[in-house]
Amino acid sequence: MDLQNHPILFHIRKNITPTAEEELFFISLLNSLKLKQGEFAEKAGEVTYNFIHVTSGCLMTYYTDKDGNDQVIQFATSGWWTGDLHSLTRQQPSIYTTRALADSEILQLPKVRMEELLDRHPIFERYFRIMFQNSLVTHQNRIIEAFTATAEERYHNFQKKYPQLEQYVPLKYIASYLGITPEFLSKIRRKK
Amino acid sequence: MDLQNHPILFHIRKNITPTAEEELFFISLLNSLKLKQGEFAEKAGEVTYNFIHVTSGCLMTYYTDKDGNDQVIQFATSGWWTGDLHSLTRQQPSIYTTRALADSEILQLPKVRMEELLDRHPIFERYFRIMFQNSLVTHQNRIIEAFTATAEERYHNFQKKYPQLEQYVPLKYIASYLGITPEFLSKIRRKK
DNA sequence: TATTTTTCTTAACCTAGTTCAAGACACTTT
DNA sequence: AAAGTGTCTTGAACTAGGTTAAGAAAAATA
């Protein structure tokens, strides 16, 4: 896809109005990448620190605990940002893994380049501030949901939020996202 | 407390380096307020949209669902920001309530003034971007914890994270924060 | 000091969700 | 077509945590 005319620019222009030069600089920092289903964009333990924008397809970001259990943090469909904020903030290896659930196109913004961007063109601070602020609302809602809704309610909310995902995402990842076992998700499905 | 020399300025200077004029302007937007234990800083349904910085004491922010159940989202001790991001972002009445758990001193930054601040002095975008980014890490950890840890583990993590809170926060709010009933928290406590 | 109100604990019973183990279904690959 | 592999379902037994209701302790008020 042509980077000079990439959909991400339209998203940016909804929130801020950079100059042509600033846009060009931003674009120059990005790695454009195609992932096949199952491929990794970022692996836990590595020190890559990319911030990732999903152009098309779908990625998931998950955390693996000491017992080897995966906990899916989020699904990122087109137009979303994802990545390991934790390691982006501190100087530590990534604790999350980001992986393609379908053939996907992504843009990678490496940590150091993001810092470069924000130092040189502080106008982008606003863009990321708004993005983080919105993301925080989503996360707060997820916390409320986790504590107050039943597994069945969470499942129906998931279906509303990601209408087409269920068709190609293996059930075990959906179950993980919902915080239940695959077996129990199977039982919920049967009831319908 | 003297606003010109307020601890919040030291926190700001750790992240950005505003001019004296910018600092003064920021300070001029803040309402300084003392709350007695039990008093409200923000009530659900109202249209105040304050962003709140806790100078001393402790506040909690909670969500009340249609059945009248409270879900505590976070405790904010000194140095923290809190408030209703949801209504801060959209033009809707607040869905969260923020209340003092102990006598507290706070700074209120009304939504419209925050916008004014960011428009006039974009350097503060960076300050809030960093703040939201850090907050997001905290929220992500809480989601992982909610789904992977047992109630007992969450309780012990809570004790580590907020060492002195348990002494003056009513058990029902701690239970709510942990996503369990007060009765079950009582059972967990007995085991020790 | 007595009284009322709120907070916390205990116990008996109940349920949402887990664990384990067996099959069923859908795929590739041969 | 057979055989192998991964994904999904089903069921029986179990456990973490909820519900209800009663009482104990503590704090507020008279």
Side-chain angles (χ1 to χ4, degrees):
Chain A
M1 179 166 306
D2 175 21
L3 272 179
Q4 314 299 331
N5 214 18
H6 196 281
I8 198 177
L9 288 176
F10 294 92
H11 187 248
I12 284 177
R13 288 178 199 141
K14 273 187 197 160
N15 293 296
I16 58 173
T17 49
T19 64
E21 191 215 330
E22 283 163 342
E23 283 190 1
L24 273 174
F25 184 74
F26 175 67
I27 288 297
S28 77
L29 300 177
L30 299 172
N31 297 327
S32 186
L33 196 61
K34 291 189 186 202
L35 294 178
K36 290 232 169 283
Q37 191 208 325
E39 286 181 342
F40 295 91
E42 198 98 347
K43 277 188 186 173
E46 295 189 351
V47 202
T48 36
Y49 306 132
N50 284 312
F51 208 51
I52 296 162
H53 181 268
V54 182
T55 303
S56 70
C58 179
L59 309 194
M60 69 171 176
T61 298
Y62 59 94
Y63 168 80
T64 307
D65 69 15
K66 54 247 156 199
D67 305 329
N69 299 113
D70 292 343
Q71 174 59 49
V72 175
I73 306 295
Q74 69 166 342
F75 298 115
T77 47
S78 65
W80 290 57
W81 283 96
T82 188
D84 184 347
L85 271 178
H86 195 269
S87 67
L88 207 65
T89 306
R90 318 182 200 269
Q91 296 291 355
Q92 286 162 7
S94 176
I95 58 168
Y96 297 129
T97 300
T98 298
R99 193 172 177 187
L101 285 167
D103 294 355
S104 305
E105 285 177 76
I106 66 170
L107 299 176
Q108 292 178 316
L109 177 58
K111 178 194 163 101
V112 284
R113 299 219 167 159
M114 180 167 166
E115 285 165 357
E116 204 181 328
L117 172 72
L118 295 174
D119 285 342
R120 286 240 310 242
H121 299 294
I123 190 175
F124 288 100
E125 290 282 3
R126 186 188 189 101
Y127 176 70
F128 286 103
R129 190 264 300 167
I130 291 172
M131 211 211 51
F132 287 141
Q133 190 175 322
N134 290 337
S135 187
L136 216 38
V137 172
T138 307
H139 279 69
Q140 284 192 344
N141 289 340
R142 195 139 180 250
I143 291 171
I144 293 174
E145 197 188 50
F147 285 135
T148 63
T150 63
E152 195 172 344
E153 288 164 343
R154 274 179 273 144
Y155 173 58
H156 294 316
N157 292 345
F158 161 81
Q159 289 180 313
K160 269 181 216 153
K161 189 169 173 188
Y162 301 102
Q164 70 304 44
L165 231 66
E166 208 172 349
Q167 287 146 32
Y168 61 87
V169 175
L171 161 143
K172 67 173 174 176
Y173 296 131
I174 298 174
S176 167
Y177 174 83
L178 297 173
I180 58 178
T181 58
E183 291 92 339
F184 192 61
L185 178 50
S186 215
K187 274 173 206 171
I188 292 174
R189 274 181 167 170
R190 184 179 13 160
K191 285 174 74 174
K192 282 223 312 193
Chain B
M1 178 164 312
D2 175 21
L3 273 178
Q4 314 300 332
N5 213 16
H6 195 281
I8 198 177
L9 289 177
F10 293 91
H11 187 246
I12 285 177
R13 289 180 200 140
K14 272 187 199 157
N15 292 295
I16 57 174
T17 48
T19 64
E21 191 214 330
E22 283 163 342
E23 283 190 0
L24 272 174
F25 184 74
F26 175 66
I27 289 295
S28 77
L29 300 176
L30 300 172
N31 296 327
S32 187
L33 195 61
K34 289 189 188 201
L35 294 177
K36 290 231 169 282
Q37 190 211 322
E39 287 181 341
F40 295 91
E42 199 97 346
K43 277 187 185 174
E46 295 189 351
V47 200
T48 35
Y49 307 129
N50 284 313
F51 209 51
I52 296 162
H53 181 268
V54 182
T55 304
S56 71
C58 179
L59 308 194
M60 68 171 178
T61 297
Y62 59 95
Y63 168 79
T64 307
D65 69 14
K66 52 247 158 200
D67 305 328
N69 299 113
D70 292 342
Q71 174 59 50
V72 175
I73 306 296
Q74 70 166 343
F75 298 114
T77 47
S78 65
W80 290 57
W81 284 95
T82 188
D84 184 347
L85 271 177
H86 194 266
S87 66
L88 206 66
T89 306
R90 319 185 197 266
Q91 296 290 355
Q92 286 162 7
S94 175
I95 58 167
Y96 296 129
T97 301
T98 299
R99 194 172 177 188
L101 285 167
D103 295 355
S104 306
E105 286 176 75
I106 66 170
L107 300 175
Q108 292 177 317
L109 177 58
K111 178 193 163 102
V112 284
R113 301 217 166 159
M114 179 165 166
E115 286 167 356
E116 205 183 327
L117 172 73
L118 295 174
D119 284 343
R120 287 237 313 241
H121 299 294
I123 189 175
F124 288 100
E125 290 282 4
R126 186 188 189 101
Y127 175 70
F128 285 104
R129 190 264 299 166
I130 291 171
M131 213 211 49
F132 288 139
Q133 190 174 323
N134 290 337
S135 188
L136 216 40
V137 172
T138 308
H139 280 69
Q140 284 192 344
N141 289 340
R142 198 142 177 247
I143 290 171
I144 294 173
E145 197 189 49
F147 285 133
T148 62
T150 64
E152 194 170 346
E153 288 164 343
R154 275 179 271 144
Y155 174 57
H156 294 317
N157 292 347
F158 161 81
Q159 289 180 312
K160 270 183 217 151
K161 188 169 173 189
Y162 301 103
Q164 70 305 45
L165 231 66
E166 208 171 349
Q167 286 144 35
Y168 60 86
V169 176
L171 161 143
K172 66 173 174 177
Y173 296 130
I174 298 174
S176 167
Y177 175 84
L178 297 173
I180 58 177
T181 58
E183 292 89 342
F184 191 62
L185 177 51
S186 218
K187 263 185 216 172
I188 292 174
R189 273 181 169 171
R190 186 176 14 158
K191 285 173 77 174
K192 282 225 310 193

